[in-house]
Every structure is written in C-alpha cells, then in structure tokens.
Amino acid sequence: MPTTLKTPRHARALPPGKRWKKRFKRMGWIGLGFLAMGVVVFLLLPVWMSNAQGRAWVLDRLNAGSAARISCDDWSLSWFKGTRIKNLAITLPDNSRLLFCPHIKTELTLWGILRGNYDLGSTTVETLQVNLTKYADGSTSLDALSAPPSPATPATPGTGLLERLRSLRGSLQVQSAVVTVNSALAGGGVGESVTYTDVRAALTIAA
C-alpha cells in the first residue's frame, strides 16, 4: 500500500497576500517596541540627568580640556520647564573660587541643552559671589575659563568653558552679589583688594 507523506504545517507555503500580511504584522510589533523604548527614554532621561550620576556625566564633558572647573550640588532638568541649580561654583586651578551662587532659577531646558542651545531666558541669580584677580603679568583669573590653543595646532582656539558657552544668552537679574577684585604682585605677593557688596544688576547676554 503506497504511503502518503504529509507536508508539515509550518513548511507549507503561504499565499503571497498572507505572507506580506504576516511580515507587516511583525514589523508593526517591532515598531511598537521601538516606540515604547523611545517613550521610556523620553520620560526617564530628565530623571537620570537630574541625579548624581547624570549630573557628573554632564559636568565631566563640560569641564573636559578646561583649566577651570564648574560644579554644582544639585539641579532639576526638564524637557520643557526651566532649570533650578543649587550651589553652582567655578573653581580655578589653584582651588580658589572664581564664582559661587547658592541658587539660580533659569528658563534653560533639557531640550535646549541637548541641541547645544544655551538659552537661559529670564534668569534669577541670588546671593552671587565673584572673586576676580589681576596678576602681575597682566592676565586675570577669567583667563582660566578659556583653555590655551593646542601646541600642535596653535591657530585653533582652545576648548575651555568659555568656548563651550559661546552660544549662552539670556536676561539675567542679579538680586544680590558680592564682587571682590584683587591684585596679585610678582612673586606671589598680595596687592590691593576692593569689595563691592549688595550689587544688583540686570544683564542681557547676546550669543
């Protein structure tokens, strides 16, 4: 008696219409998976960048190649809301502070930061402390914000904090500040010092 071999169900060829329908269905599930991942990243990225690990990641890249160091104890980032920064400080190579501010409220958003658009909008600066020093060679402590050009390519500008923040702009309201201007003598001696207290200012920064 002849034996009839049956083709397994999974090996049977599907009609072209059903085959394409199956492929589109599979592609649809893959697309939904990527969409879900994108939504999760969108929701969690501000949270991650606002915690200690994300903040350290951002500051490491901001400070890369710069003599001065910028730091802060805390900040809150959002895609479309403003940013609050706590204890912002800029420290010079000799560990002295160039700037310190315990609280800053700005309209800078995470969306703008990722696009390299440092638009501070209307920014309130409270209890700002600034210490400027003029050295005997004519340079100032502000020069530490701009890294020197590379010896291999002297015509190329450095990549310090000043260069990274070239697109910084906004309207700053300094509610209270203490500004100290020092002069350093040759050999490391201390010259004159002038301190201005309760300084209030409205500054407009153009990119």
Side-chain angles (χ1 to χ4, degrees):
M1 182 176 181
T3 303
T4 302
L5 298 178
K6 294 184 178 180
T7 304
R9 181 176 297 178
H10 66 271
R12 297 174 186 173
L14 294 174
K18 290 186 177 181
R19 190 161 56 242
W20 281 106
K21 185 177 180 181
K22 186 176 181 180
R23 290 178 181 176
F24 280 128
K25 186 177 181 180
R26 184 180 302 169
M27 291 173 62
W29 282 112
I30 295 175
L32 287 176
F34 279 111
L35 180 61
M37 291 175 58
V39 171
V40 171
V41 171
F42 183 85
L43 295 176
L44 294 184
L45 185 60
V47 177
W48 179 76
M49 294 189 70
S50 295
N51 64 27
Q53 184 181 20
R55 188 166 60 251
W57 183 85
V58 174
L59 291 175
D60 283 345
R61 279 147 186 79
L62 189 61
N63 290 322
S66 180
R69 309 290 292 178
I70 186 171
S71 63
C72 70
D73 290 345
D74 190 23
W75 64 31
S76 61
L77 292 174
S78 174
W79 284 110
F80 305 108
K81 292 183 180 180
T83 300
R84 295 176 182 269
I85 304 174
K86 181 179 179 181
N87 293 337
L88 176 71
I90 297 179
T91 306
L92 299 176
D94 61 359
N95 290 326
S96 63
R97 274 184 176 173
L98 173 66
L99 179 147
F100 177 77
C101 187
H103 184 256
I104 298 175
K105 182 180 179 182
T106 174
E107 294 181 349
L108 180 67
T109 64
L110 176 58
W111 185 257
I113 293 174
L114 295 180
R115 293 173 56 198
N117 179 17
Y118 300 102
D119 187 355
L120 301 178
S122 180
T123 299
T124 303
V125 180
E126 301 176 2
T127 322
L128 177 66
Q129 301 174 27
V130 180
N131 292 281
L132 302 175
T133 302
K134 182 177 181 180
Y135 303 107
D137 60 0
S139 62
T140 70
S141 52
L142 292 175
D143 295 335
L145 298 178
S146 182
S150 170
T153 56
T156 303
T159 56
L161 285 174
L162 191 60
E163 287 76 17
R164 286 189 173 87
L165 300 178
R166 286 294 185 188
S167 63
L168 188 72
R169 63 182 183 274
S171 177
L172 275 65
Q173 299 292 328
V174 181
Q175 295 185 346
S176 178
V178 176
V179 180
T180 301
V181 181
N182 305 303
S183 63
L185 303 177
V190 179
E192 298 180 349
S193 179
V194 178
T195 300
Y196 303 90
T197 60
D198 197 21
V199 177
R200 300 172 186 270
L203 305 174
T204 300
I205 303 176

